[in-house]
Coordinates of all heavy atoms in Angstrom, one line a residue:
H24 N 103.5 80.3 90.2 CA 104.5 81.2 89.6 C 105.7 81.3 90.5 O 105.6 81.3 91.7 CB 103.9 82.6 89.5 CG 102.8 82.7 88.5 ND1 102.7 82.0 87.3 CD2 101.7 83.4 88.6 CE1 101.6 82.4 86.7 NE2 101.0 83.2 87.5
E25 N 106.9 81.3 89.9 CA 108.1 81.4 90.6 C 108.4 82.9 90.9 O 108.4 83.7 90.0 CB 109.3 80.8 89.8 CG 110.6 80.8 90.5 CD 110.7 79.9 91.7 OE1 110.0 78.9 91.8 OE2 111.5 80.2 92.6
V26 N 108.7 83.2 92.1 CA 109.0 84.6 92.5 C 110.4 84.7 92.9 O 110.9 83.9 93.7 CB 108.1 85.0 93.7 CG1 108.5 86.4 94.1 CG2 106.6 85.0 93.3
A27 N 111.2 85.6 92.3 CA 112.6 85.8 92.6 C 112.7 87.1 93.3 O 112.5 88.2 92.7 CB 113.4 85.7 91.3
L28 N 113.1 87.1 94.5 CA 113.4 88.3 95.3 C 114.9 88.3 95.7 O 115.4 87.2 96.0 CB 112.6 88.4 96.6 CG 111.1 88.5 96.4 CD1 110.4 88.4 97.7 CD2 110.7 89.8 95.7
N29 N 115.5 89.4 95.6 CA 116.9 89.5 96.0 C 117.0 90.1 97.4 O 116.9 91.3 97.6 CB 117.7 90.4 95.1 CG 119.2 90.4 95.4 OD1 119.6 89.9 96.4 ND2 119.9 91.1 94.5
P30 N 117.1 89.3 98.5 CA 117.1 89.7 99.8 C 118.2 90.7 100.2 O 118.2 91.5 101.1 CB 117.2 88.5 100.7 CG 117.2 87.3 99.8 CD 117.3 87.8 98.4
E31 N 119.3 90.7 99.4 CA 120.4 91.6 99.6 C 120.1 93.0 99.3 O 120.8 93.9 99.7 CB 121.6 91.1 98.7 CG 122.2 89.8 99.1 CD 123.3 89.3 98.2 OE1 123.8 90.1 97.4 OE2 123.6 88.1 98.3
T32 N 119.0 93.3 98.6 CA 118.6 94.7 98.4 C 117.9 95.3 99.6 O 117.6 96.5 99.5 CB 117.7 94.8 97.1 OG1 116.5 94.0 97.3 CG2 118.4 94.2 95.9
L33 N 117.6 94.5 100.6 CA 116.9 95.0 101.8 C 117.8 95.1 102.9 O 118.8 94.4 103.0 CB 115.7 94.0 102.1 CG 114.6 93.9 101.1 CD1 113.7 92.8 101.6 CD2 113.9 95.2 100.9
P34 N 117.5 96.0 103.9 CA 118.3 96.1 105.1 C 118.3 94.7 105.8 O 117.3 94.0 105.8 CB 117.7 97.1 105.9 CG 116.7 97.9 105.0 CD 116.4 96.9 103.9
S35 N 119.4 94.5 106.6 CA 119.4 93.2 107.4 C 118.4 93.2 108.5 O 118.0 92.2 109.0 CB 120.8 93.0 107.9 OG 121.2 94.0 108.7
T36 N 118.1 94.4 109.0 CA 117.0 94.6 110.0 C 116.3 95.9 109.8 O 116.9 96.9 109.3 CB 117.6 94.5 111.4 OG1 116.5 94.6 112.3 CG2 118.6 95.6 111.7
F37 N 115.0 96.0 110.1 CA 114.3 97.2 110.0 C 114.2 97.9 111.4 O 113.6 98.9 111.5 CB 112.9 97.0 109.4 CG 112.9 96.7 108.0 CD1 112.9 95.4 107.5 CD2 113.0 97.7 107.0 CE1 113.0 95.1 106.1 CE2 113.1 97.5 105.7 CZ 113.1 96.1 105.2
G38 N 114.6 97.2 112.5 CA 114.7 97.7 113.8 C 113.3 98.2 114.3 O 113.2 99.3 114.9
Q39 N 112.3 97.5 114.0 CA 110.9 97.8 114.4 C 110.3 99.0 113.7 O 109.3 99.5 114.1 CB 110.8 97.9 115.9 CG 111.1 96.6 116.7 CD 110.2 95.5 116.2 OE1 109.0 95.6 116.1 NE2 110.8 94.3 116.0
A40 N 111.0 99.5 112.7 CA 110.4 100.7 111.9 C 109.2 100.2 111.1 O 109.2 99.1 110.7 CB 111.5 101.2 111.0
P41 N 108.3 101.1 110.9 CA 107.1 100.7 110.1 C 107.6 100.6 108.6 O 108.5 101.3 108.2 CB 106.1 101.9 110.2 CG 106.9 103.0 110.8 CD 108.1 102.4 111.5
V42 N 107.0 99.7 107.9 CA 107.3 99.5 106.5 C 106.1 99.5 105.6 O 105.1 98.9 105.9 CB 108.1 98.1 106.3 CG1 108.3 97.8 104.8 CG2 109.4 98.1 107.1
L43 N 106.1 100.2 104.5 CA 105.1 100.2 103.5 C 105.6 99.5 102.3 O 106.6 99.8 101.7 CB 104.7 101.7 103.1 CG 103.8 101.8 101.9 CD1 102.4 101.2 102.2 CD2 103.7 103.3 101.5
I44 N 104.8 98.4 101.9 CA 105.2 97.7 100.7 C 104.1 98.1 99.6 O 102.9 98.0 99.8 CB 105.1 96.2 100.9 CG1 106.1 95.8 102.0 CG2 105.3 95.4 99.6 CD1 106.0 94.3 102.4
L45 N 104.6 98.6 98.5 CA 103.8 99.1 97.4 C 103.9 98.2 96.2 O 105.0 98.1 95.7 CB 104.1 100.6 97.0 CG 103.3 101.2 95.9 CD1 101.8 101.3 96.3 CD2 103.8 102.6 95.7
E46 N 102.8 97.6 95.8 CA 102.7 96.8 94.6 C 102.1 97.5 93.5 O 101.1 98.3 93.7 CB 102.0 95.5 95.0 CG 101.8 94.5 93.8 CD 103.0 93.8 93.5 OE1 103.9 94.3 92.8 OE2 103.2 92.6 93.9
D47 N 102.5 97.4 92.2 CA 101.9 98.1 91.1 C 100.6 97.4 90.8 O 99.5 98.0 90.9 CB 102.8 98.2 89.9 CG 103.5 96.9 89.5 OD1 103.2 95.9 90.1 OD2 104.2 97.0 88.5
I48 N 100.6 96.1 90.4 CA 99.4 95.4 90.0 C 99.3 94.1 90.8 O 100.2 93.3 90.8 CB 99.4 95.0 88.5 CG1 99.5 96.3 87.6 CG2 98.1 94.2 88.2 CD1 99.6 96.0 86.2
M49 N 98.3 94.0 91.6 CA 98.0 92.8 92.4 C 97.2 91.8 91.6 O 96.1 92.0 91.3 CB 97.3 93.2 93.7 CG 96.9 92.1 94.6 SD 98.3 91.3 95.4 CE 98.8 92.6 96.4
D50 N 97.9 90.7 91.3 CA 97.3 89.6 90.6 C 96.9 88.5 91.6 O 95.8 88.4 92.1 CB 98.1 89.1 89.4 CG 98.1 90.0 88.2 OD1 97.0 90.4 87.8 OD2 99.2 90.3 87.7
N51 N 97.9 87.7 91.8 CA 97.6 86.5 92.7 C 98.3 86.7 94.1 O 98.0 86.0 95.0 CB 98.1 85.2 92.1 CG 99.6 85.2 91.8 OD1 100.4 86.0 92.4 ND2 100.0 84.4 90.9
G52 N 99.1 87.7 94.3 CA 99.7 88.1 95.6 C 100.9 87.3 96.0 O 101.3 87.4 97.1
T53 N 101.4 86.4 95.2 CA 102.5 85.6 95.5 C 103.8 86.4 95.9 O 104.4 86.1 96.9 CB 102.8 84.6 94.3 OG1 101.7 83.9 94.0 CG2 103.9 83.6 94.7
A54 N 104.1 87.4 95.1 CA 105.3 88.2 95.4 C 105.1 89.0 96.7 O 106.0 89.0 97.5 CB 105.6 89.1 94.2
L55 N 103.9 89.5 96.8 CA 103.7 90.3 98.0 C 103.8 89.5 99.3 O 104.3 89.9 100.3 CB 102.3 91.0 97.9 CG 102.0 91.9 99.1 CD1 102.9 93.1 99.2 CD2 100.5 92.4 99.0
K56 N 103.2 88.3 99.2 CA 103.2 87.4 100.4 C 104.7 87.0 100.8 O 105.1 87.1 101.9 CB 102.5 86.1 100.1 CG 102.3 85.2 101.3 CD 101.5 84.0 100.9 CE 101.4 83.0 102.1 NZ 100.5 81.9 101.7
K57 N 105.5 86.7 99.8 CA 106.9 86.4 100.0 C 107.7 87.6 100.6 O 108.5 87.4 101.5 CB 107.5 85.9 98.7 CG 108.9 85.2 98.9 CD 109.3 84.5 97.6 CE 110.6 83.8 97.8 NZ 111.0 83.1 96.6
L58 N 107.5 88.7 100.0 CA 108.2 89.9 100.4 C 107.7 90.3 101.8 O 108.6 90.7 102.7 CB 107.9 91.1 99.5 CG 108.6 92.4 99.8 CD1 110.1 92.2 99.9 CD2 108.3 93.5 98.8
R59 N 106.5 90.2 102.1 CA 106.0 90.5 103.5 C 106.6 89.6 104.5 O 107.0 90.1 105.6 CB 104.4 90.4 103.5 CG 103.8 90.8 104.8 CD 102.3 90.6 104.8 NE 101.8 91.0 106.1 CZ 101.2 92.2 106.3 NH1 101.1 93.0 105.3 NH2 100.8 92.5 107.5
Q60 N 106.8 88.4 104.2 CA 107.4 87.4 105.2 C 108.9 87.8 105.4 O 109.4 87.8 106.5 CB 107.3 86.0 104.7 CG 107.8 85.0 105.6 CD 107.1 85.0 107.0 OE1 105.9 84.9 107.0 NE2 107.8 85.2 108.1
L61 N 109.6 88.1 104.3 CA 111.0 88.5 104.4 C 111.1 89.8 105.2 O 112.0 89.8 106.1 CB 111.5 88.7 103.0 CG 113.0 89.1 102.9 CD1 113.9 88.1 103.5 CD2 113.4 89.4 101.4
V62 N 110.3 90.8 105.0 CA 110.3 92.0 105.8 C 110.0 91.7 107.3 O 110.7 92.2 108.2 CB 109.4 93.1 105.2 CG1 109.2 94.2 106.1 CG2 109.9 93.5 103.8
S63 N 109.0 90.9 107.5 CA 108.7 90.5 108.9 C 109.8 89.8 109.6 O 110.1 90.1 110.8 CB 107.4 89.6 108.9 OG 107.1 89.2 110.2
D64 N 110.5 88.9 108.9 CA 111.6 88.2 109.4 C 112.8 89.1 109.8 O 113.6 88.7 110.6 CB 112.1 87.1 108.5 CG 111.2 85.9 108.3 OD1 110.2 85.8 109.1 OD2 111.3 85.2 107.3
R65 N 112.8 90.3 109.2 CA 113.9 91.2 109.5 C 113.5 92.3 110.4 O 113.9 93.4 110.4 CB 114.4 91.8 108.2 CG 115.0 90.7 107.3 CD 115.8 91.3 106.1 NE 116.3 90.2 105.4 CZ 117.3 90.3 104.5 NH1 117.7 91.5 104.2 NH2 117.7 89.3 103.8
Q66 N 112.6 92.0 111.3 CA 112.1 92.8 112.5 C 111.5 94.1 112.1 O 111.8 95.2 112.7 CB 113.3 93.0 113.5 CG 113.8 91.8 114.2 CD 114.7 91.0 113.3 OE1 115.6 91.5 112.6 NE2 114.6 89.7 113.4
A67 N 110.6 94.1 111.1 CA 109.8 95.3 110.8 C 108.8 95.5 111.8 O 108.3 94.6 112.5 CB 109.1 95.1 109.4
G68 N 108.4 96.8 112.1 CA 107.3 97.1 113.0 C 106.0 96.8 112.2 O 105.8 95.7 111.7
T69 N 105.2 97.7 112.1 CA 104.0 97.6 111.4 C 104.3 97.5 109.9 O 105.1 98.2 109.4 CB 103.0 98.8 111.6 OG1 102.8 99.0 113.0 CG2 101.7 98.7 110.9
I70 N 103.6 96.5 109.2 CA 103.8 96.3 107.8 C 102.5 96.6 107.1 O 101.4 96.0 107.4 CB 104.2 94.9 107.4 CG1 105.6 94.6 108.1 CG2 104.3 94.8 105.9 CD1 106.0 93.1 108.0
I71 N 102.4 97.6 106.3 CA 101.2 98.0 105.5 C 101.5 97.7 104.1 O 102.5 98.0 103.5 CB 100.9 99.5 105.7 CG1 100.6 99.7 107.2 CG2 99.7 99.9 104.9 CD1 100.4 101.2 107.6
T72 N 100.5 97.1 103.4 CA 100.6 96.8 102.0 C 99.6 97.7 101.2 O 98.5 97.9 101.7 CB 100.3 95.3 101.7 OG1 99.0 95.0 102.2 CG2 101.4 94.5 102.4
A73 N 100.0 98.1 100.0 CA 99.2 98.9 99.2 C 99.4 98.5 97.7 O 100.5 98.1 97.4 CB 99.4 100.4 99.3
A74 N 98.4 98.6 96.9 CA 98.5 98.3 95.5 C 97.8 99.4 94.7 O 96.8 99.9 95.1 CB 97.8 97.0 95.1
I75 N 98.4 99.8 93.6 CA 97.8 100.8 92.7 C 96.6 100.1 92.0 O 95.5 100.7 92.0 CB 98.8 101.3 91.7 CG1 100.0 102.0 92.5 CG2 98.2 102.3 90.8 CD1 101.2 102.4 91.6
F76 N 96.8 98.9 91.5 CA 95.7 98.2 90.8 C 95.6 96.8 91.4 O 96.6 96.2 91.8 CB 96.0 98.0 89.3 CG 96.2 99.3 88.6 CD1 97.5 99.8 88.3 CD2 95.1 100.1 88.2 CE1 97.6 101.0 87.6 CE2 95.3 101.3 87.5 CZ 96.5 101.7 87.2
K77 N 94.4 96.3 91.5 CA 94.1 94.9 91.9 C 93.1 94.4 90.9 O 92.1 95.0 90.5 CB 93.5 94.9 93.3 CG 93.2 93.5 93.8 CD 92.7 93.5 95.2 CE 92.5 92.1 95.6 NZ 92.0 92.0 97.0
R78 N 93.4 93.2 90.4 CA 92.6 92.5 89.4 C 91.3 92.0 90.1 O 91.3 91.5 91.2 CB 93.3 91.3 88.8 CG 94.4 91.8 87.9 CD 94.3 91.3 86.5 NE 95.5 91.7 85.8 CZ 95.5 92.6 84.8 NH1 94.4 93.2 84.5 NH2 96.6 92.9 84.2
M79 N 90.2 92.2 89.4 CA 88.9 91.6 89.8 C 89.0 90.1 90.0 O 89.7 89.5 89.1 CB 87.8 91.9 88.9 CG 87.3 93.3 88.9 SD 85.9 93.5 87.8 CE 85.2 95.0 88.5
G80 N 88.5 89.5 91.0 CA 88.5 88.1 91.2 C 89.8 87.6 91.9 O 89.8 86.5 92.3
S81 N 90.7 88.5 92.2 CA 91.9 88.2 92.9 C 91.5 88.0 94.4 O 90.9 88.9 95.0 CB 93.0 89.2 92.8 OG 94.0 89.0 93.7
D82 N 91.9 86.9 95.0 CA 91.6 86.8 96.5 C 92.9 87.2 97.3 O 92.9 86.9 98.5 CB 91.2 85.4 96.8 CG 92.2 84.3 96.3 OD1 93.2 84.7 95.7 OD2 91.9 83.1 96.6
A83 N 93.8 87.8 96.7 CA 95.0 88.3 97.4 C 94.6 89.4 98.4 O 93.7 90.2 98.1 CB 96.1 88.8 96.4
S84 N 95.3 89.5 99.5 CA 95.0 90.4 100.5 C 95.9 91.6 100.4 O 97.2 91.4 100.4 CB 95.1 89.7 101.9 OG 94.8 90.7 102.9
V85 N 95.4 92.8 100.5 CA 96.2 94.0 100.5 C 95.4 95.0 101.4 O 94.2 95.0 101.4 CB 96.4 94.6 99.1 CG1 95.1 95.0 98.4 CG2 97.4 95.7 99.0
D86 N 96.2 95.8 102.1 CA 95.6 96.8 103.1 C 94.8 97.9 102.3 O 93.8 98.4 102.7 CB 96.6 97.4 104.0 CG 97.2 96.3 104.9 OD1 96.4 95.4 105.4 OD2 98.4 96.3 105.1
H87 N 95.5 98.4 101.3 CA 94.9 99.6 100.5 C 95.0 99.3 99.0 O 96.1 98.8 98.6 CB 95.6 100.9 100.9 CG 95.6 101.2 102.3 ND1 94.5 101.7 103.0 CD2 96.5 101.0 103.3 CE1 94.7 101.9 104.2 NE2 96.0 101.4 104.5
C88 N 94.0 99.7 98.3 CA 94.0 99.5 96.8 C 93.3 100.8 96.2 O 92.3 101.2 96.6 CB 93.3 98.3 96.4 SG 93.2 98.0 94.7
A89 N 94.0 101.3 95.2 CA 93.5 102.5 94.5 C 92.4 102.2 93.5 O 91.4 102.9 93.4 CB 94.6 103.3 93.9
F90 N 92.7 101.2 92.6 CA 91.8 100.9 91.5 C 91.6 99.4 91.3 O 92.5 98.6 91.6 CB 92.4 101.4 90.2 CG 92.6 102.9 90.2 CD1 93.9 103.4 90.4 CD2 91.6 103.8 90.0 CE1 94.2 104.8 90.4 CE2 91.8 105.2 90.0 CZ 93.1 105.7 90.2
T91 N 90.4 99.0 90.9 CA 90.2 97.6 90.6 C 90.1 97.4 89.0 O 89.4 98.2 88.4 CB 88.9 97.1 91.2 OG1 88.9 97.4 92.6 CG2 88.6 95.7 90.9
L92 N 90.8 96.4 88.5 CA 90.9 96.2 87.1 C 90.1 95.0 86.7 O 90.2 93.9 87.3 CB 92.3 96.0 86.6 CG 93.3 97.1 86.7 CD1 94.7 96.6 86.3 CD2 92.9 98.2 85.7
P93 N 89.3 95.0 85.6 CA 88.7 93.8 85.1 C 89.8 92.9 84.6 O 90.9 93.4 84.2 CB 87.9 94.3 83.9 CG 87.6 95.7 84.2 CD 88.8 96.2 84.9
K94 N 89.6 91.6 84.6 CA 90.6 90.6 84.3 C 91.2 90.9 82.9 O 92.3 90.6 82.6 CB 90.1 89.2 84.3 CG 89.8 88.7 85.7 CD 89.3 87.3 85.8 CE 89.1 86.9 87.2 NZ 88.6 85.5 87.3
E95 N 90.3 91.4 81.9 CA 90.8 91.5 80.5 C 91.5 92.8 80.3 O 92.0 93.1 79.2 CB 89.5 91.5 79.6 CG 88.5 90.4 79.8 CD 87.6 90.6 81.1 OE1 87.3 91.8 81.4 OE2 87.3 89.6 81.7
S96 N 91.6 93.7 81.3 CA 92.3 95.0 81.1 C 93.8 94.9 81.0 O 94.4 94.0 81.6 CB 91.9 95.9 82.3 OG 90.5 96.2 82.3
F97 N 94.3 95.9 80.3 CA 95.8 96.0 80.2 C 96.1 97.4 80.8 O 95.4 98.4 80.6 CB 96.2 96.0 78.7 CG 96.1 94.6 78.1 CD1 95.0 94.2 77.5 CD2 97.2 93.7 78.3 CE1 94.9 93.0 76.9 CE2 97.1 92.4 77.7 CZ 95.9 92.1 77.0
V98 N 97.3 97.5 81.4 CA 97.7 98.8 81.9 C 99.1 99.0 81.2 O 100.0 98.2 81.2 CB 97.9 98.7 83.4 CG1 98.5 100.0 83.9 CG2 96.6 98.4 84.1
V99 N 99.2 100.2 80.6 CA 100.4 100.6 79.9 C 101.1 101.7 80.7 O 100.4 102.7 81.0 CB 100.2 101.0 78.5 CG1 101.5 101.4 77.8 CG2 99.5 99.8 77.7
G100 N 102.3 101.5 81.1 CA 103.1 102.6 81.7 C 104.2 103.1 80.9 O 104.7 102.4 80.0
Y101 N 104.6 104.3 81.2 CA 105.7 104.9 80.5 C 106.6 105.7 81.4 O 106.1 106.4 82.2 CB 105.2 105.8 79.3 CG 106.3 106.5 78.6 CD1 107.0 105.8 77.6 CD2 106.7 107.8 78.9 CE1 108.0 106.4 76.9 CE2 107.7 108.4 78.2 CZ 108.3 107.7 77.2 OH 109.4 108.3 76.5
G102 N 107.9 105.5 81.3 CA 108.8 106.3 82.1 C 109.6 105.6 83.2 O 109.6 104.6 83.6

């Protein structure tokens, strides 16, 4: 999958500040991996990753996850 991130939306440096990256649904982890590297390159201190949902069978790594979803599940959000 092609991941498009706009680095201009992030600070040029985090000055060793801790950073929390929150992902809504963790599928394969490609976007999170790319974003984590970008944040690290900009001198973040501790980087913690969290996902609201993670698909079953995903081998993507995340520090914290609230819910696990079966592969066939759909999540509908509003707002």
Side-chain angles (χ1 to χ4, degrees):
H24 296 321
E25 182 67 27
V26 176
L28 295 175
N29 184 353
E31 294 176 12
T32 62
L33 297 175
S35 59
T36 182
F37 288 96
Q39 297 303 313
V42 175
L43 170 65
I44 300 173
L45 180 61
E46 177 73 279
D47 52 0
I48 300 175
M49 177 67 67
D50 283 310
N51 59 23
T53 304
L55 182 64
K56 184 176 179 181
K57 191 170 183 177
L58 181 57
R59 185 183 181 100
Q60 185 60 54
L61 181 61
V62 169
S63 177
D64 291 346
R65 295 190 180 195
Q66 294 82 38
T69 304
I70 301 171
I71 297 174
T72 57
I75 300 170
F76 300 101
K77 183 176 179 181
R78 293 238 184 250
M79 286 181 157
S81 171
D82 57 357
S84 177
V85 65
D86 296 317
H87 303 281
C88 178
F90 303 98
T91 303
L92 293 174
K94 290 181 181 181
E95 310 80 32
S96 296
F97 290 92
V98 176
V99 178
Y101 178 80

